[in-house]
Amino acid sequence: MELNVYVFVTTVKNSSKGYWFKLPIDVAKIRQTLLSRGVLTQENYEVDLKISNYEAPFKIDEYEPIEKLNALVDLFKDVDMTLKTFSALVHAGIIDPLNLNVDYLHSLVIIKAEDDEDLGYQAIEKMGGISALLTEQLLQYFDYEGFARDLINHRDYINIGGGNYVSGIN
């Protein structure tokens, strides 16, 4: 996934002047650009920088290190996820993009479902089908009595007495 992050970098003492940068970018290049635009001078070249504005699918603190943000943008080049899904995970508080564990991100199972019923079908399929469910799960969610009644009503099985049911009759 390509994560587009833009930051408006200024100096701590003068946040009205600055410049927009697309990450990842080297801090030295930021300083050179700010110097060439008159935001920095040779005398104040090493002053602290801050992010006074940004465009990103998550909150960025004004003193967040550019190097950390660069690493995050690079990290997401190998993540197989849409930006919309990523933003939803951040908004729901499931992931913190600035303290991201990539293994945790890859371990998330994301199912695209039309509704709750579709989610149920897809979740069972991802688990390996009905046979993968535990007996306790089947007892909780499956109506065995209703299923048996339908089998008898549709003549898939015939009660021949003594607790015996027969199927396969032509």
Side-chain angles (χ1 to χ4, degrees):
M1 168 181 85
E2 183 177 355
L3 184 63
N4 290 315
V5 177
Y6 298 89
V7 292
F8 188 77
V9 180
T10 64
T11 64
V12 172
K13 294 184 179 189
N14 184 5
S15 58
S16 63
K17 286 179 133 182
Y19 194 74
W20 283 98
F21 297 94
K22 183 177 192 271
L23 300 181
I25 188 169
D26 187 58
V27 176
K29 176 125 172 93
I30 291 174
R31 288 188 181 281
Q32 279 301 116
T33 302
L34 293 176
L35 180 66
S36 70
R37 302 251 180 212
V39 177
L40 292 178
T41 63
Q42 291 298 336
E43 293 77 34
N44 73 351
Y45 189 77
E46 293 298 323
V47 298
D48 289 334
L49 301 176
K50 75 174 189 175
I51 299 167
S52 65
N53 202 351
Y54 62 90
E55 290 180 17
F58 51 88
K59 186 179 182 321
I60 297 176
D61 183 74
E62 62 184 359
Y63 295 106
E64 196 68 50
I66 297 291
E67 295 86 349
K68 186 175 182 179
L69 294 171
N70 283 338
L72 178 67
V73 171
D74 285 336
L75 175 79
F76 274 93
K77 290 178 182 170
D78 298 326
V79 173
D80 185 25
M81 180 182 296
T82 66
L83 185 57
K84 184 176 181 180
T85 300
F86 171 73
S87 296
L89 290 169
V90 170
H91 184 71
I94 294 170
I95 60 172
D96 175 2
L98 298 175
N99 296 302
L100 191 62
N101 178 328
V102 179
D103 292 332
Y104 172 69
L105 187 63
H106 286 297
S107 74
L108 296 176
V109 176
I110 299 171
I111 295 176
K112 176 83 171 144
E114 297 297 320
D115 52 32
D116 290 352
E117 182 179 4
D118 188 29
L119 171 63
Y121 279 109
Q122 289 193 47
I124 287 174
E125 186 177 310
K126 273 202 178 295
M127 293 169 60
I130 293 279
S131 61
L133 294 176
L134 301 173
T135 302
E136 296 81 26
Q137 290 171 308
L138 287 172
L139 288 172
Q140 182 177 358
Y141 296 109
F142 188 73
D143 180 5
Y144 283 97
E145 185 178 347
F147 181 62
R149 184 179 50 250
D150 288 347
L151 289 173
I152 293 168
N153 287 341
H154 293 109
R155 302 196 50 84
D156 295 314
Y157 282 83
I158 297 173
N159 185 346
I160 57 172
N164 295 305
Y165 297 84
V166 65
S167 174
I169 302 171
N170 293 334

